[in-house]
Amino acid sequence: MSDGTTGKQIDVAVLGAGIVGVSAGIAARQRGLSVVVIDRREPGSETSYGNAGILSSGSILPLNKPSLWSALPGYLANTSAALRWDPLWVMRNLDWVVRFLGNTVPSRTRPRAAALHGLIGASLKLHREWIVKANAAQRIRETGWLKAWRNDATEAAKQEQAFLAEFGIKSELLDRQAISALEPDIVPVYKTGLLHTQTASVDSPGAVTKAYARMFSAAGGEVRQSEIKTIEPQGDGWRIVVGDGAVSARHVVVALGPWSADILRPLGYRVPLAVERGYHLEFTPNPARSLQRPIHDAEGGFLMTPMENGIRVTSGVELTDRDAPSSFAQLDMVVPMARGVVEFGSAVGEPWRGARPTLPDSLPVIGKAPRHQGLWLAFGNQHIGFTTGPATGSAIAAMIAGEAPSFDVAPFAPSRYI
Ligand SMILES: Cc1cc2nc3c(=O)[nH]c(=O)nc-3n(C[C@H](O)[C@H](O)[C@H](O)COP(=O)(O)OP(=O)(O)OC[C@H]3O[C@@H](n4cnc5c(N)ncnc54)[C@H](O)[C@@H]3O)c2cc1C
């Protein structure tokens, strides 16, 4: 089907089998198109594997929101668990940093929140439908997501609640007692909580992505495991050179997550894609001390999620080069804090490192490349790519088929950057 040597052209080649690429594949197959999804690894083995597994209804305010300014002084000393930055990286990427901070102005906040709300709503609908169809419904928990503060943060929590309510997103304000009623096995360290009641989570985002990939294959899609080298325009379509041959396709979808900008550079597109790196470490659970839902420790800047293999502790943001050596300083800080909340055993496996792909306005690019026919971009889903992958991929498939996507994609137009 996808062997370039036969000269046969397929309809769509999707580059990347993370949650975004697999979703684009499913949605393109649903429209009767012939599709190959190409990745050097098995589906769902990179960023879509190591995340915190939250399907978040309420993450409509990205990191670069107005309140970032009040947090910045705390980040300057570069000792915070929530955000670390490499000074040399900042100097080399000053343009990205300035544009990222420029988006914190209040006038840029509401439109971006509205855009993300549309994307998230469409995506959660698809997740809840697909996870059942993919025989993975046992992996989803409809228990919400708890943001918790050690200090009295009632005012901050109320403000967040009011903002979410303007978009129809429900949440419950909790005090220490209510938090204990909700999570009876945790140590009562939190004074204030905000429960995002419409948020779900999964016990293995990698396994969910793999289940979606199996659903894609069962529907007649092809998954090809090969290194993608280059993409070149060829006639009315594209030639994708891979490690073991070549693929000809009418349309190419770039869904390479944090690696997406690399493949586009030879075509003259310089996409300002940075990465917010993050880590996780998993621990054997104590059966007598279970966690019912993911908890975000607001002051500590970390998350704890009950997963298939144990409690996954995920760290905050590290701004540096995608491939720079790992630094476990943030994990080293937050693991003892997590242990003070929920008792767990020893580490399962090694620490994992991933990279959240982020554009300066924290909105993904979803749409057509401005100067090439049949080239589609679907990446930059920052902290919420596992949530937003299905609708990102589906919108691309709809546009390829000449249909209108199910949410407003105008704010995500690639032409805003390239
Ligand atoms: C610590 C952390 C916690 C997070 N928590 C959450 C969360 O709770 N909820 C949420 O919604 N999101 C979360 N995210 C964000 C989310 O994980 C990402 O936004 C999302 O997984 C991105 O998906 P993707 O498909 O774009 O990229 P990926 O999953 O990275 O997929 C890209 C694929 O491209 C392949 N690839 C790259 N280059 C090549 C090449 N040359 N040849 C072949 N294949 C190639 C890779 O192998 C990879 O499989 C978190 C991220 C991190 C780092």
Side-chain angles (χ1 to χ4, degrees), residues 15-21 38-56 226-229 255-259 263 276-280 303 314-316 352 354-357 378-388:
L15 314 186
I19 188 68
V20 175
I38 312 168
D39 199 302
R40 59 186 163 214
R41 300 191 62 184
E42 279 181 30
S45 298
E46 291 280 0
T47 334
S48 300
Y49 154 79
N51 61 71
I54 300 169
L55 300 176
S56 176
S226 197
E227 177 80 24
I228 299 155
K229 308 271 192 197
L256 295 167
W259 294 272
I263 200 102
E276 301 178 61
R277 299 204 319 184
Y279 299 82
H280 88 222
L303 278 142
T314 44
S315 72
W352 170 88
R356 308 169 181 96
F379 58 84
N381 298 63
Q382 43 106 344
H383 293 235
I384 51 170
F386 186 63
T387 304
T388 55

Side-chain angles (χ1 to χ4, degrees), residues 146-149 172-195 288-293 295 340-341:
L146 179 64
K147 182 170 179 182
W149 289 262
E172 285 171 18
L173 192 62
L174 308 177
D175 60 13
R176 198 192 297 272
Q177 252 186 331
I179 294 171
S180 289
L182 198 70
E183 289 288 351
D185 290 343
I186 68 169
V187 180
V189 295
Y190 298 118
K191 266 196 177 148
T192 310
L194 191 67
L195 178 68
R289 292 274 178 266
S290 64
L291 205 56
Q292 307 305 316
R293 57 184 55 71
I295 299 182
V341 179

Side-chain angles (χ1 to χ4, degrees), residues 221-301:
E222 183 191 351
V223 176
R224 180 158 173 170
Q225 199 169 336
S226 197
E227 177 80 24
I228 299 155
K229 308 271 192 197
T230 54
I231 54 174
E232 300 151 9
Q234 181 193 54
D236 63 345
W238 290 85
R239 180 167 188 266
I240 301 108
V241 179
V242 294
D244 57 351
V247 176
S248 292
R250 209 155 49 84
H251 299 270
V252 179
V253 181
V254 178
L256 295 167
W259 294 272
S260 298
D262 302 2
I263 200 102
L264 293 167
R265 210 165 291 128
L267 295 170
Y269 294 112
R270 297 194 71 81
V271 191
L273 186 72
V275 297
E276 301 178 61
R277 299 204 319 184
Y279 299 82
H280 88 222
L281 191 54
E282 291 183 329
F283 297 89
T284 50
N286 174 349
R289 292 274 178 266
S290 64
L291 205 56
Q292 307 305 316
R293 57 184 55 71
I295 299 182
H296 174 196
D297 186 303
E299 287 98 343

Side-chain angles (χ1 to χ4, degrees), residues 326-348:
S326 296
S327 155
F328 300 116
Q330 285 161 293
L331 268 185
D332 290 345
M333 271 177 92
V334 301
V335 166
M337 292 176 83
R339 233 181 239 293
V341 179
V342 55
E343 278 176 31
F344 46 71
S346 51
V348 184

Side-chain angles (χ1 to χ4, degrees), residues 24-33 393-405:
I26 292 171
R29 271 307 298 147
Q30 282 174 343
R31 288 165 174 82
L33 301 167
S394 290
I396 294 288
M399 288 186 270
I400 288 175
E403 299 165 16

